[in-house]
Amino acid sequence: MTAKPRSLIVGNWKMNGLRRSLAEIAQIAQGYDAKLRRDCELIVCPPVTLVYLAAKDAVGSRIAIGAQDCHIEASGAFTGEISAEMLADCGATTVIVGHSERRSYNAETDGDVKSKALAALRAGLMPIICVGETNSDREGGHTIAVIKRQLAGSVPGSADSEPIVVAYEPVWAIGTGLTPTHADIVEVHRFIHRELNALLGSHASPLRRVLYGGSVKPSNAKDILALEYVDGALIGGASLKAEDFLAIARAAPAPR
Ligand code: 13P
């Protein structure tokens, strides 16, 4: 058995949330008690319109606030875009890059995702780089090959590319209620850890973590978070309600 560090539990609100939803983040911060702080680290990534307010409210609460995307440049004539530096300036500490929804609806390539991860690191943000196979990749037996290609293309491969987090989110498991078998999750996570060691050097950084994402709920979180090589979870739908998000956090195993 490998060591289990504190789990990293991240909420991705996607395009959900108005200012009144800040009450959910306040409730999460309030529920983040001493036991939870021992067992897990919490980050909420609301839509960008709420990042500044959420980060301001979260001061002193020890939960962190992240964003869901960033531009590759620091500033310039890119109408409508938001840079990693702007997110950091608003109090974000993290940014999700290469989510499958952005890869498919915004045609983001592995190269784009790597540039965004580098932009995040440049601005002092921790990138959460998402990878994951589609259902047809899976049915064709190509899961590992697809993940290998996405990691090689999307992860900045240099010694100073830390802290780095990879989220394994099978596209077919997102928002569907379906999850891979535990054996499949462990196999892919073990593979991702090995690939990261090859790309970034095998010195095990405590900040290098691999999260599982896709239909994580209070009812399945305990079993998933206990799996070997799973360092935490990236949660969509169930992160919108403080009660559910906290229930998932409470399911994290004690570090060992
Ligand atoms: P669900 O938890 O709603 O399946 O979404 C997962 C996800 O896409 C998180 O980034």
Side-chain angles (χ1 to χ4, degrees):
M1 281 293 241
T2 50
K4 263 273 176 213
R6 236 164 45 118
S7 299
L8 174 58
I9 311 289
V10 184
N12 172 11
W13 280 16
K14 308 192 179 185
M15 197 173 74
N16 296 292
L18 301 174
R19 280 184 300 159
R20 63 172 176 266
S21 319
L22 292 168
E24 297 295 328
I25 300 181
Q27 202 183 321
I28 292 166
Q30 214 170 22
Y32 189 43
D33 58 20
K35 182 190 175 304
L36 278 188
R37 289 201 294 273
R38 190 196 67 200
D39 294 347
C40 58
E41 181 182 340
L42 297 187
I43 303 177
V44 180
C45 302
V48 75
T49 47
L50 298 180
V51 164
Y52 177 70
L53 292 171
K56 209 153 73 88
D57 289 353
V59 168
S61 76
R62 299 191 230 194
I63 70 163
I65 301 300
Q68 302 168 14
D69 180 44
C70 66
H71 194 265
I72 63 175
E73 300 292 343
S75 61
F78 301 101
T79 300
E81 298 290 348
I82 291 167
S83 70
E85 281 75 3
M86 292 169 176
L87 297 172
D89 186 49
C90 283
T93 60
T94 303
V95 62
I96 298 167
V97 293
H99 191 281
S100 64
E101 287 149 19
R102 294 207 60 86
R103 288 178 185 262
S104 75
Y105 303 140
N106 299 73
E108 288 188 6
T109 63
D110 288 331
D112 297 331
V113 177
K114 184 190 280 195
S115 300
K116 289 181 178 208
L118 283 166
L121 291 163
R122 177 190 69 215
L125 300 179
M126 176 175 78
I128 299 178
I129 302 169
C130 301
V131 296
E133 81 285 2
T134 62
N135 197 33
S136 74
D137 295 331
R138 179 173 74 123
E139 285 179 347
H142 306 308
T143 297
I144 293 291
V146 167
I147 302 297
K148 186 177 175 70
R149 191 187 67 226
Q150 289 179 337
L151 289 172
S154 320
V155 174
S158 72
D160 53 4
S161 313
E162 308 242 25
I164 229 161
V165 174
V166 169
Y168 169 53
E169 298 207 311
V171 178
W172 55 271
I174 296 176
T176 58
L178 303 171
T179 54
T181 64
H182 291 166
D184 285 347
I185 294 176
V186 170
E187 184 196 347
V188 176
H189 278 242
R190 185 199 294 123
F191 177 76
I192 294 172
H193 272 289
R194 283 202 190 132
E195 289 292 295
L196 290 179
N197 286 347
L199 284 165
L200 302 170
S202 58
H203 59 281
S205 159
L207 296 175
R208 191 188 301 164
R209 288 165 290 184
V210 182
L211 313 182
Y212 170 76
S215 296
V216 178
K217 300 182 283 266
S219 56
N220 61 14
K222 186 165 189 275
D223 291 342
I224 291 173
L225 291 171
L227 295 173
E228 209 172 358
Y229 302 106
V230 173
D231 304 316
L234 180 56
I235 297 140
S239 71
L240 293 169
K241 287 265 156 283
E243 215 173 284
D244 290 344
F245 190 62
L246 285 169
I248 290 169
R250 285 189 203 104
R256 54 161 206 270

Short mmCIF file of all heavy atoms in Angstrom, two decimals, residues 37-87:
data_model
loop_
_atom_site.label_atom_id
_atom_site.label_comp_id
_atom_site.label_asym_id
_atom_site.label_seq_id
_atom_site.Cartn_x
_atom_site.Cartn_y
_atom_site.Cartn_z
N ARG A 37 -10.10 19.42 8.08
CA ARG A 37 -8.82 20.05 7.70
C ARG A 37 -7.68 19.05 7.81
O ARG A 37 -6.73 19.10 7.04
CB ARG A 37 -8.54 21.28 8.57
CG ARG A 37 -9.47 22.45 8.26
CD ARG A 37 -8.88 23.76 8.73
NE ARG A 37 -8.78 23.83 10.16
CZ ARG A 37 -9.74 24.25 10.98
NH1 ARG A 37 -10.90 24.63 10.48
NH2 ARG A 37 -9.56 24.31 12.28
N ARG A 38 -7.79 18.12 8.75
CA ARG A 38 -6.75 17.10 8.89
C ARG A 38 -6.79 16.14 7.69
O ARG A 38 -5.77 15.69 7.20
CB ARG A 38 -6.98 16.31 10.19
CG ARG A 38 -5.84 15.38 10.57
CD ARG A 38 -6.27 14.37 11.60
NE ARG A 38 -7.25 13.45 11.03
CZ ARG A 38 -8.11 12.71 11.73
NH1 ARG A 38 -8.14 12.79 13.03
NH2 ARG A 38 -8.96 11.88 11.13
N ASP A 39 -8.01 15.82 7.24
CA ASP A 39 -8.16 14.77 6.22
C ASP A 39 -8.15 15.28 4.79
O ASP A 39 -7.86 14.53 3.86
CB ASP A 39 -9.47 14.00 6.44
CG ASP A 39 -9.46 13.21 7.74
OD1 ASP A 39 -8.38 13.07 8.33
OD2 ASP A 39 -10.54 12.75 8.15
N CYS A 40 -8.54 16.52 4.58
CA CYS A 40 -8.61 16.97 3.18
C CYS A 40 -8.45 18.48 3.01
O CYS A 40 -8.63 19.25 3.94
CB CYS A 40 -9.92 16.51 2.53
SG CYS A 40 -11.37 17.09 3.34
N GLU A 41 -8.05 18.80 1.78
CA GLU A 41 -7.88 20.19 1.37
C GLU A 41 -9.05 20.49 0.44
O GLU A 41 -9.38 19.66 -0.41
CB GLU A 41 -6.54 20.23 0.61
CG GLU A 41 -6.12 21.57 0.10
CD GLU A 41 -4.79 21.44 -0.69
OE1 GLU A 41 -4.03 20.45 -0.53
OE2 GLU A 41 -4.54 22.34 -1.49
N LEU A 42 -9.69 21.64 0.59
CA LEU A 42 -10.87 21.95 -0.23
C LEU A 42 -10.63 23.16 -1.13
O LEU A 42 -10.09 24.17 -0.69
CB LEU A 42 -12.07 22.28 0.67
CG LEU A 42 -12.61 21.22 1.61
CD1 LEU A 42 -13.90 21.70 2.27
CD2 LEU A 42 -12.88 19.92 0.85
N ILE A 43 -11.05 23.00 -2.37
CA ILE A 43 -10.99 24.12 -3.32
C ILE A 43 -12.35 24.18 -4.02
O ILE A 43 -12.86 23.15 -4.45
CB ILE A 43 -9.88 23.93 -4.38
CG1 ILE A 43 -8.51 23.74 -3.71
CG2 ILE A 43 -9.85 25.12 -5.34
CD1 ILE A 43 -7.37 23.46 -4.69
N VAL A 44 -12.92 25.37 -4.14
CA VAL A 44 -14.15 25.54 -4.92
C VAL A 44 -13.83 26.42 -6.11
O VAL A 44 -13.22 27.49 -5.96
CB VAL A 44 -15.28 26.18 -4.07
CG1 VAL A 44 -16.54 26.34 -4.91
CG2 VAL A 44 -15.57 25.32 -2.83
N CYS A 45 -14.25 25.98 -7.30
CA CYS A 45 -14.03 26.74 -8.53
C CYS A 45 -15.37 27.21 -9.07
O CYS A 45 -16.02 26.50 -9.86
CB CYS A 45 -13.32 25.88 -9.57
SG CYS A 45 -11.72 25.23 -9.01
N PRO A 46 -15.84 28.39 -8.64
CA PRO A 46 -17.11 28.91 -9.13
C PRO A 46 -16.90 29.55 -10.50
O PRO A 46 -15.76 29.64 -10.96
CB PRO A 46 -17.45 29.98 -8.08
CG PRO A 46 -16.12 30.48 -7.62
CD PRO A 46 -15.15 29.33 -7.74
N PRO A 47 -17.96 30.00 -11.16
CA PRO A 47 -17.75 30.74 -12.41
C PRO A 47 -16.91 32.00 -12.13
O PRO A 47 -16.89 32.49 -11.00
CB PRO A 47 -19.16 31.10 -12.88
CG PRO A 47 -20.06 30.84 -11.73
CD PRO A 47 -19.38 29.88 -10.83
N VAL A 48 -16.26 32.50 -13.16
CA VAL A 48 -15.29 33.57 -12.95
C VAL A 48 -15.91 34.84 -12.36
O VAL A 48 -15.25 35.59 -11.65
CB VAL A 48 -14.52 33.83 -14.27
CG1 VAL A 48 -15.39 34.58 -15.27
CG2 VAL A 48 -13.22 34.54 -14.01
N THR A 49 -17.22 35.02 -12.61
CA THR A 49 -17.90 36.21 -12.07
C THR A 49 -17.91 36.21 -10.55
O THR A 49 -18.11 37.25 -9.92
CB THR A 49 -19.36 36.25 -12.56
OG1 THR A 49 -19.91 34.94 -12.37
CG2 THR A 49 -19.45 36.65 -14.02
N LEU A 50 -17.73 35.03 -9.95
CA LEU A 50 -17.81 34.94 -8.48
C LEU A 50 -16.44 34.76 -7.83
O LEU A 50 -16.35 34.72 -6.60
CB LEU A 50 -18.72 33.77 -8.08
CG LEU A 50 -20.18 33.86 -8.52
CD1 LEU A 50 -20.96 32.64 -8.04
CD2 LEU A 50 -20.84 35.13 -7.99
N VAL A 51 -15.39 34.63 -8.64
CA VAL A 51 -14.08 34.29 -8.05
C VAL A 51 -13.63 35.35 -7.05
O VAL A 51 -13.22 35.02 -5.93
CB VAL A 51 -13.02 34.07 -9.16
CG1 VAL A 51 -11.61 34.10 -8.59
CG2 VAL A 51 -13.27 32.74 -9.86
N TYR A 52 -13.71 36.61 -7.43
CA TYR A 52 -13.20 37.67 -6.55
C TYR A 52 -13.97 37.70 -5.23
O TYR A 52 -13.39 37.71 -4.14
CB TYR A 52 -13.27 39.03 -7.25
CG TYR A 52 -12.82 40.16 -6.36
CD1 TYR A 52 -11.49 40.30 -6.01
CD2 TYR A 52 -13.75 41.08 -5.86
CE1 TYR A 52 -11.07 41.33 -5.17
CE2 TYR A 52 -13.34 42.10 -5.01
CZ TYR A 52 -12.01 42.23 -4.67
OH TYR A 52 -11.60 43.23 -3.84
N LEU A 53 -15.31 37.67 -5.34
CA LEU A 53 -16.13 37.74 -4.12
C LEU A 53 -15.93 36.50 -3.26
O LEU A 53 -15.84 36.59 -2.03
CB LEU A 53 -17.61 37.87 -4.50
CG LEU A 53 -18.01 39.19 -5.16
CD1 LEU A 53 -19.43 39.11 -5.68
CD2 LEU A 53 -17.87 40.34 -4.16
N ALA A 54 -15.87 35.34 -3.90
CA ALA A 54 -15.71 34.09 -3.15
C ALA A 54 -14.36 34.09 -2.43
O ALA A 54 -14.26 33.69 -1.27
CB ALA A 54 -15.82 32.89 -4.08
N ALA A 55 -13.31 34.55 -3.13
CA ALA A 55 -11.97 34.55 -2.52
C ALA A 55 -11.93 35.54 -1.35
O ALA A 55 -11.32 35.27 -0.32
CB ALA A 55 -10.93 34.89 -3.57
N LYS A 56 -12.60 36.68 -1.53
CA LYS A 56 -12.62 37.69 -0.47
C LYS A 56 -13.34 37.11 0.76
O LYS A 56 -12.86 37.22 1.88
CB LYS A 56 -13.38 38.92 -0.98
CG LYS A 56 -12.95 40.23 -0.35
CD LYS A 56 -13.20 41.40 -1.28
CE LYS A 56 -14.66 41.76 -1.42
NZ LYS A 56 -15.21 42.68 -0.48
N ASP A 57 -14.47 36.42 0.52
CA ASP A 57 -15.23 35.83 1.63
C ASP A 57 -14.45 34.69 2.29
O ASP A 57 -14.65 34.41 3.47
CB ASP A 57 -16.56 35.23 1.12
CG ASP A 57 -17.54 36.32 0.73
OD1 ASP A 57 -17.26 37.50 0.97
OD2 ASP A 57 -18.60 35.97 0.15
N ALA A 58 -13.63 34.00 1.49
CA ALA A 58 -12.96 32.80 2.01
C ALA A 58 -11.72 33.13 2.84
O ALA A 58 -11.15 32.24 3.46
CB ALA A 58 -12.59 31.86 0.86
N VAL A 59 -11.31 34.40 2.84
CA VAL A 59 -10.11 34.77 3.60
C VAL A 59 -10.28 34.31 5.04
O VAL A 59 -11.31 34.56 5.67
CB VAL A 59 -9.88 36.30 3.54
CG1 VAL A 59 -8.82 36.74 4.55
CG2 VAL A 59 -9.46 36.71 2.13
N GLY A 60 -9.27 33.60 5.54
CA GLY A 60 -9.33 33.15 6.92
C GLY A 60 -10.07 31.83 7.11
O GLY A 60 -10.04 31.23 8.18
N SER A 61 -10.75 31.35 6.06
CA SER A 61 -11.55 30.13 6.21
C SER A 61 -10.77 28.87 5.85
O SER A 61 -11.22 27.77 6.11
CB SER A 61 -12.78 30.19 5.32
OG SER A 61 -12.40 29.95 3.99
N ARG A 62 -9.62 29.05 5.21
CA ARG A 62 -8.73 27.95 4.79
C ARG A 62 -9.27 27.13 3.63
O ARG A 62 -8.67 26.14 3.26
CB ARG A 62 -8.36 27.03 5.95
CG ARG A 62 -7.62 27.80 7.03
CD ARG A 62 -7.04 26.84 8.02
NE ARG A 62 -7.38 27.23 9.36
CZ ARG A 62 -6.81 26.76 10.44
NH1 ARG A 62 -5.86 25.88 10.34
NH2 ARG A 62 -7.17 27.17 11.63
N ILE A 63 -10.45 27.47 3.07
CA ILE A 63 -10.77 26.83 1.80
C ILE A 63 -10.22 27.76 0.72
O ILE A 63 -10.07 28.96 0.94
CB ILE A 63 -12.28 26.55 1.59
CG1 ILE A 63 -13.07 27.84 1.39
CG2 ILE A 63 -12.87 25.71 2.70
CD1 ILE A 63 -14.43 27.58 0.79
N ALA A 64 -9.87 27.18 -0.41
CA ALA A 64 -9.27 27.99 -1.48
C ALA A 64 -10.26 28.11 -2.63
O ALA A 64 -11.19 27.31 -2.77
CB ALA A 64 -7.97 27.35 -1.94
N ILE A 65 -10.03 29.14 -3.44
CA ILE A 65 -10.92 29.41 -4.57
C ILE A 65 -10.11 29.29 -5.86
O ILE A 65 -8.98 29.76 -5.96
CB ILE A 65 -11.53 30.82 -4.45
CG1 ILE A 65 -12.33 30.96 -3.13
CG2 ILE A 65 -12.41 31.17 -5.66
CD1 ILE A 65 -13.49 29.99 -2.96
N GLY A 66 -10.72 28.64 -6.85
CA GLY A 66 -10.05 28.49 -8.15
C GLY A 66 -10.97 28.92 -9.27
O GLY A 66 -12.14 29.25 -9.05
N ALA A 67 -10.42 28.90 -10.49
CA ALA A 67 -11.21 29.23 -11.68
C ALA A 67 -11.25 28.00 -12.59
O ALA A 67 -10.65 26.97 -12.29
CB ALA A 67 -10.59 30.43 -12.38
N GLN A 68 -11.97 28.14 -13.71
CA GLN A 68 -12.24 26.96 -14.55
C GLN A 68 -11.51 26.98 -15.88
O GLN A 68 -11.58 26.02 -16.65
CB GLN A 68 -13.74 26.85 -14.80
CG GLN A 68 -14.56 26.76 -13.54
CD GLN A 68 -16.04 26.93 -13.80
OE1 GLN A 68 -16.51 26.87 -14.94
NE2 GLN A 68 -16.80 27.15 -12.75
N ASP A 69 -10.82 28.10 -16.17
CA ASP A 69 -10.11 28.24 -17.44
C ASP A 69 -9.28 29.52 -17.36
O ASP A 69 -9.56 30.38 -16.52
CB ASP A 69 -11.11 28.35 -18.61
CG ASP A 69 -10.42 28.51 -19.96
OD1 ASP A 69 -9.44 27.78 -20.20
OD2 ASP A 69 -10.85 29.37 -20.76
N CYS A 70 -8.27 29.64 -18.21
CA CYS A 70 -7.54 30.91 -18.32
C CYS A 70 -6.99 31.03 -19.73
O CYS A 70 -6.91 30.05 -20.46
CB CYS A 70 -6.39 30.98 -17.30
SG CYS A 70 -5.06 29.78 -17.59
N HIS A 71 -6.64 32.26 -20.09
CA HIS A 71 -6.00 32.49 -21.40
C HIS A 71 -4.50 32.23 -21.26
O HIS A 71 -3.98 32.20 -20.15
CB HIS A 71 -6.26 33.93 -21.85
CG HIS A 71 -5.94 34.16 -23.29
ND1 HIS A 71 -4.72 34.65 -23.71
CD2 HIS A 71 -6.66 33.93 -24.42
CE1 HIS A 71 -4.71 34.72 -25.04
NE2 HIS A 71 -5.88 34.29 -25.49
N ILE A 72 -3.83 32.04 -22.40
CA ILE A 72 -2.39 31.72 -22.33
C ILE A 72 -1.52 32.97 -22.14
O ILE A 72 -0.41 32.87 -21.63
CB ILE A 72 -1.92 30.92 -23.57
CG1 ILE A 72 -2.06 31.73 -24.86
CG2 ILE A 72 -2.70 29.63 -23.69
CD1 ILE A 72 -1.49 31.03 -26.08
N GLU A 73 -2.05 34.14 -22.56
CA GLU A 73 -1.26 35.37 -22.42
C GLU A 73 -1.60 36.07 -21.11
O GLU A 73 -2.68 35.88 -20.56
CB GLU A 73 -1.56 36.33 -23.58
CG GLU A 73 -1.24 35.77 -24.96
CD GLU A 73 0.25 35.58 -25.22
OE1 GLU A 73 1.06 36.16 -24.48
OE2 GLU A 73 0.59 34.83 -26.16
N ALA A 74 -0.69 36.92 -20.66
CA ALA A 74 -0.91 37.65 -19.41
C ALA A 74 -1.86 38.82 -19.60
O ALA A 74 -2.61 39.20 -18.68
CB ALA A 74 0.42 38.15 -18.85
N SER A 75 -1.82 39.44 -20.80
CA SER A 75 -2.70 40.58 -21.10
C SER A 75 -2.64 40.81 -22.60
O SER A 75 -1.82 40.19 -23.29
CB SER A 75 -2.21 41.84 -20.37
OG SER A 75 -0.91 42.17 -20.81
N GLY A 76 -3.50 41.69 -23.10
CA GLY A 76 -3.43 42.01 -24.52
C GLY A 76 -4.79 42.08 -25.18
O GLY A 76 -5.82 42.06 -24.50
N ALA A 77 -4.78 42.18 -26.51
CA ALA A 77 -6.01 42.38 -27.27
C ALA A 77 -6.69 41.03 -27.52
O ALA A 77 -6.59 40.45 -28.61
CB ALA A 77 -5.68 43.08 -28.60
N PHE A 78 -7.31 40.53 -26.49
CA PHE A 78 -8.02 39.24 -26.57
C PHE A 78 -9.39 39.44 -25.93
O PHE A 78 -9.62 39.06 -24.77
CB PHE A 78 -7.23 38.14 -25.86
CG PHE A 78 -5.85 37.95 -26.42
CD1 PHE A 78 -4.74 38.48 -25.78
CD2 PHE A 78 -5.67 37.27 -27.62
CE1 PHE A 78 -3.47 38.33 -26.31
CE2 PHE A 78 -4.40 37.11 -28.15
CZ PHE A 78 -3.29 37.65 -27.51
N THR A 79 -10.28 40.07 -26.69
CA THR A 79 -11.58 40.47 -26.15
C THR A 79 -12.33 39.30 -25.49
O THR A 79 -12.46 38.25 -26.11
CB THR A 79 -12.43 41.08 -27.28
OG1 THR A 79 -11.72 42.20 -27.80
CG2 THR A 79 -13.80 41.53 -26.79
N GLY A 80 -12.75 39.53 -24.29
CA GLY A 80 -13.56 38.53 -23.59
C GLY A 80 -12.75 37.51 -22.82
O GLY A 80 -13.33 36.69 -22.10
N GLU A 81 -11.43 37.54 -22.98
CA GLU A 81 -10.61 36.52 -22.32
C GLU A 81 -10.15 36.98 -20.93
O GLU A 81 -10.17 38.18 -20.63
CB GLU A 81 -9.37 36.20 -23.17
CG GLU A 81 -9.70 35.61 -24.53
CD GLU A 81 -10.25 34.19 -24.45
OE1 GLU A 81 -10.17 33.57 -23.37
OE2 GLU A 81 -10.76 33.71 -25.47
N ILE A 82 -9.72 36.04 -20.13
CA ILE A 82 -9.26 36.32 -18.77
C ILE A 82 -7.95 35.60 -18.54
O ILE A 82 -7.84 34.39 -18.81
CB ILE A 82 -10.34 35.88 -17.76
CG1 ILE A 82 -11.56 36.81 -17.91
CG2 ILE A 82 -9.83 35.93 -16.32
CD1 ILE A 82 -12.79 36.35 -17.24
N SER A 83 -6.94 36.34 -18.08
CA SER A 83 -5.62 35.73 -17.92
C SER A 83 -5.45 35.11 -16.54
O SER A 83 -6.18 35.44 -15.58
CB SER A 83 -4.52 36.77 -18.15
OG SER A 83 -4.49 37.70 -17.08
N ALA A 84 -4.45 34.24 -16.46
CA ALA A 84 -4.13 33.61 -15.17
C ALA A 84 -3.71 34.68 -14.16
O ALA A 84 -4.05 34.59 -12.97
CB ALA A 84 -3.01 32.60 -15.37
N GLU A 85 -3.01 35.72 -14.65
CA GLU A 85 -2.59 36.81 -13.75
C GLU A 85 -3.81 37.51 -13.16
O GLU A 85 -3.81 37.93 -12.00
CB GLU A 85 -1.72 37.82 -14.52
CG GLU A 85 -0.28 37.39 -14.72
CD GLU A 85 -0.06 36.32 -15.79
OE1 GLU A 85 -1.05 35.92 -16.46
OE2 GLU A 85 1.09 35.88 -15.97
N MET A 86 -4.86 37.69 -14.00
CA MET A 86 -6.08 38.35 -13.49
C MET A 86 -6.76 37.50 -12.43
O MET A 86 -7.28 38.01 -11.43
CB MET A 86 -7.05 38.60 -14.66
CG MET A 86 -6.55 39.64 -15.64
SD MET A 86 -7.58 39.61 -17.11
CE MET A 86 -6.84 40.98 -18.00
N LEU A 87 -6.75 36.18 -12.66
CA LEU A 87 -7.35 35.27 -11.67
C LEU A 87 -6.58 35.33 -10.35
O LEU A 87 -7.17 35.39 -9.27
CB LEU A 87 -7.38 33.84 -12.22
CG LEU A 87 -8.22 33.64 -13.48
CD1 LEU A 87 -8.01 32.24 -14.04
CD2 LEU A 87 -9.70 33.88 -13.18
#
